[in-house]
Amino acid sequence: MDLTPEEIETLNAYGPYNHAVWRGRGVTVSQEEGLTGRAEFLAALVRKVLQRSFTEAEMADMTLADVGCYDGWLLEQLADLPFKRLVGIEPRERNIEKGKAIRHVLGLQSRVEYRTGSIEALGTERFDVVICMGLLHHLECIGDALRSLKAICRRTLVLETQCLSSEHLTPEFVRELEPKDIAYFGKSQLVGLSGHKFESSYYHGSAIRSSIVTIPTISTIEMFLQQLNFTNIEILVPPSSYWKGGSVSRPTKLCCVVADCGDQKDDNRDHFAQVRDYEVGLMNMLLPERTADLLYNRFVGRPSRRPTFAERVIIGYATGPSWLTAPLLKLIARRWPNGFHLEIIKNLRYAPVDKAALELAKVRFAEGDFAGCIKTAKSIIGHINADWRATYRALLLLALANNRIGNESAARRYIDLARISNPDLPPELFDIHNSIFSLKPPG
Ligand SMILES: C[S@@+](CC[C@H](N)C(=O)[O-])C[C@H]1O[C@@H](n2cnc3c(N)ncnc32)[C@H](O)[C@@H]1O
């Protein structure tokens, strides 16, 4: 049935229908222009992911929300799936009206509930599935946005966003970023990059207020999802131009991700466990006595014997430019028992005397030479500008050694000082009577 001239005028007034391919009464209403093909591609992809993840019986007991739903086209495409409720959340009343107008003119029935709301104020209702397409790159802060989505998501989040190519993550960029926090210990060097640009609220598909928006790389998204305890993070479509084929070509790349919401606990749930494992691993990893002794004497300027080849590499790395010795260090580290050995050696370059003294003090403790341990550990904390990490570890060691020789008041004092030095350590590290450090000589 042909549309009347008045209906066409009305649709043009409500348009553009640029994130949709509305069909009805023998016409297709769609002005995707530079995104031609995107809407239908996404609808098919989301449907596939939902059908792969949930049975129809499960869906019948589930709710689904689309945040930044625009005119609701995507939701209407999914409305035949047996979800209990489908809810579209959109800050612009006009976009919701845009959808109503086209459905009215094309005679399309809808069971979707629409409400005004923004990602910054989503309310407290939670949904089993949350979809958020084409919105993240219109926002200032991706972390805050994902946190808000997680807060209303019970099971699965499906995201689509504009993405920068990972090509921009060059080795030079990664080097400048210095990803060497303990959060990276034993893990891959996942880093992200984001671009920023001004964006006004002029266009109905853009930011709701004029702001500086953030365009992430896919690894930025992965990092935030990991940090927020999302699990089973799957890149459904890597950054690509999956709408290609239209007459207008755009350099923009989009990507699509699905993840399980995990639990609702705090972002930093694993922080204490990570610090504990790291500190215990470092404390329990003992260098061979000859090496610890050689390094300490070498760094205080009293060379004791000729170093072996491996020891020369270690000394070179600790005192010279790393580009020269880093490859050799990597090579000899292959024979070391675990990553903590390498971590100790790599950290020697920051305050070598204090770091080497700590290693020697640990060895003395493991040998049962508590007086030797105390003497060496005190050499760290007994001078001005001592290295902070070596200090709090030496204080813990001093507390343990004094406890072993029955000097409880000294042990208590050193534990108190260790708490002052690094109060954020997990509490169990300060328990000298049931110490979780084993400090045994290598078998
Ligand atoms: C590019 S459109 C994407 C529309 C649709 N989800 C899609 O993928 O085709 C971005 C949508 O997000 C909405 N939006 C903008 N800022 C928002 C915010 N802070 N919270 C929620 N939605 C927002 C816009 O009004 C618009 O409907």
Side-chain angles (χ1 to χ4, degrees):
M1 195 202 312
D2 285 348
L3 303 190
T4 66
E6 289 75 17
E7 285 173 328
I8 293 173
E9 285 172 4
T10 303
L11 287 189
N12 281 330
Y14 275 106
Y17 289 95
N18 50 353
H19 292 290
V21 188
W22 291 102
R23 289 197 172 88
R25 288 178 62 191
V27 296
T28 298
V29 180
S30 177
Q31 287 156 294
E32 281 187 295
E33 296 165 352
L35 296 176
T36 302
R38 169 184 172 269
E40 289 185 318
F41 175 88
L42 276 184
L45 184 71
V46 176
R47 170 179 287 275
K48 197 165 109 193
V49 168
L50 295 174
Q51 287 178 325
R52 172 190 89 175
S53 311
F54 308 110
T55 63
E56 296 221 329
E58 283 173 320
M59 286 185 206
D61 205 29
M62 292 169 66
T63 54
L64 180 150
D66 182 0
V67 178
C69 69
Y70 200 65
D71 58 4
W73 182 80
L74 177 61
L75 278 170
E76 299 296 339
Q77 304 312 298
L78 302 174
D80 63 316
L81 295 173
F83 284 98
K84 200 162 57 179
R85 279 173 63 221
L86 297 108
V87 179
I89 302 171
E90 166 60 40
R92 289 183 167 89
E93 187 72 49
R94 187 197 180 276
N95 285 346
I96 296 179
E97 291 302 320
K98 183 195 288 250
K100 264 191 212 156
I102 186 101
R103 289 191 297 277
H104 176 72
V105 169
L106 298 188
L108 304 171
Q109 299 302 312
S110 173
R111 71 179 188 98
V112 177
E113 299 165 35
Y114 291 96
R115 61 174 77 151
T116 50
S118 72
I119 198 162
E120 295 83 4
L122 285 171
T124 52
E125 186 180 357
R126 290 175 70 204
F127 301 88
D128 297 295
V129 176
V130 173
I131 293 174
C132 181
M133 317 304 262
L135 168 56
L136 283 193
H137 56 270
H138 295 297
L139 301 173
E140 222 170 62
C141 180
I142 288 175
D144 286 352
L146 292 176
R147 203 167 276 117
S148 300
L149 293 174
K150 167 134 182 168
I152 62 152
C153 180
R154 240 185 245 117
R155 294 180 70 169
T156 301
L157 174 69
V158 189
L159 278 178
E160 188 232 24
T161 179
Q162 183 185 342
C163 257
L164 298 178
S165 317
S166 304
E167 282 158 27
H168 303 301
L169 285 163
T170 60
E172 292 73 33
F173 171 79
V174 177
R175 209 168 33 246
E176 274 188 40
L177 256 188
E178 292 196 286
K180 60 181 190 187
D181 187 275
I182 78 159
Y184 281 101
F185 183 71
K187 288 196 186 149
S188 70
Q189 272 197 338
L190 187 60
V191 295
L193 178 146
S194 303
H196 303 278
K197 62 180 183 182
F198 286 114
E199 184 168 293
S200 76
S201 56
Y202 170 70
Y203 183 60
H204 306 144
S206 61
I208 33 173
R209 67 190 71 81
S210 295
S211 52
I212 294 165
V213 297
T214 302
I215 320 294
T217 46
I218 189 78
S219 55
T220 312
I221 302 282
E222 278 183 274
M223 289 174 74
F224 277 116
L225 290 174
Q226 281 185 20
Q227 181 72 4
L228 291 165
N229 288 330
F230 279 88
T231 56
N232 299 327
I233 301 162
E234 185 190 343
I235 317 289
L236 292 168
V237 183
S240 61
S241 308
Y242 48 72
W243 67 90
K244 258 187 186 153
S247 50
V248 184
S249 99
R250 290 175 59 182
T252 309
K253 291 188 164 51
L254 305 181
C255 67
C256 203
V257 178
V258 61
D260 291 341
C261 284
D263 56 41
Q264 287 290 331
K265 284 197 192 131
D266 188 33
D267 309 1
N268 272 333
R269 172 175 67 125
D270 290 335
H271 175 71
F272 261 173
Q274 196 171 35
V275 173
R276 187 195 53 228
D277 292 351
Y278 182 74
E279 290 295 336
V280 170
L282 286 182
M283 192 71 112
N284 288 344
M285 174 66 232
L286 299 178
L287 300 183
E289 196 271 343
R290 330 176 0 92
T291 304
D293 185 71
L294 172 113
L295 292 175
Y296 177 65
N297 283 304
R298 179 75 181 218
F299 294 143
V300 293
R302 286 191 308 251
S304 48
R305 63 170 166 83
R306 276 172 68 84
T308 62
F309 172 73
E311 287 165 347
R312 262 188 289 144
V313 172
I314 294 171
I315 293 165
Y317 185 85
T319 54
S322 62
W323 59 265
L324 203 64
T325 41
L328 288 172
L329 190 66
K330 229 177 177 173
L331 211 67
I332 59 171
R334 288 209 202 129
R335 281 184 282 136
W336 292 343
N338 56 41
F340 292 110
H341 194 140
L342 180 61
E343 184 74 355
I344 287 170
I345 299 300
K346 276 166 88 177
N347 285 327
L348 283 174
R349 62 193 355 243
Y350 311 103
V353 174
D354 290 349
K355 292 278 174 45
L358 180 76
E359 294 314 310
L360 186 60
K362 281 163 53 184
V363 170
R364 297 283 175 254
F365 183 97
E367 289 168 335
D369 174 6
F370 300 121
C373 167
I374 290 170
K375 182 171 165 228
T376 315
K378 284 185 82 157
S379 77
I380 301 169
I381 59 163
H383 70 91
I384 293 294
N385 298 327
D387 176 72
W388 172 64
R389 288 175 181 79
T391 295
Y392 72 74
R393 289 170 191 154
L395 288 166
L396 289 173
L397 207 52
L398 281 162
L400 288 173
N402 276 287
N403 168 263
R404 290 294 179 91
I405 60 171
N407 190 347
E408 275 304 313
S409 66
R412 265 199 309 280
R413 178 168 170 271
Y414 284 123
I415 273 298
D416 289 346
L417 287 176
R419 271 208 190 87
I420 291 170
S421 181
N422 193 352
D424 297 327
L425 287 178
E428 58 267 39
L429 298 194
F430 297 110
D431 184 355
I432 41 173
H433 297 109
N434 304 295
S435 179
I436 59 172
F437 299 118
S438 64
L439 280 158
K440 289 209 180 79

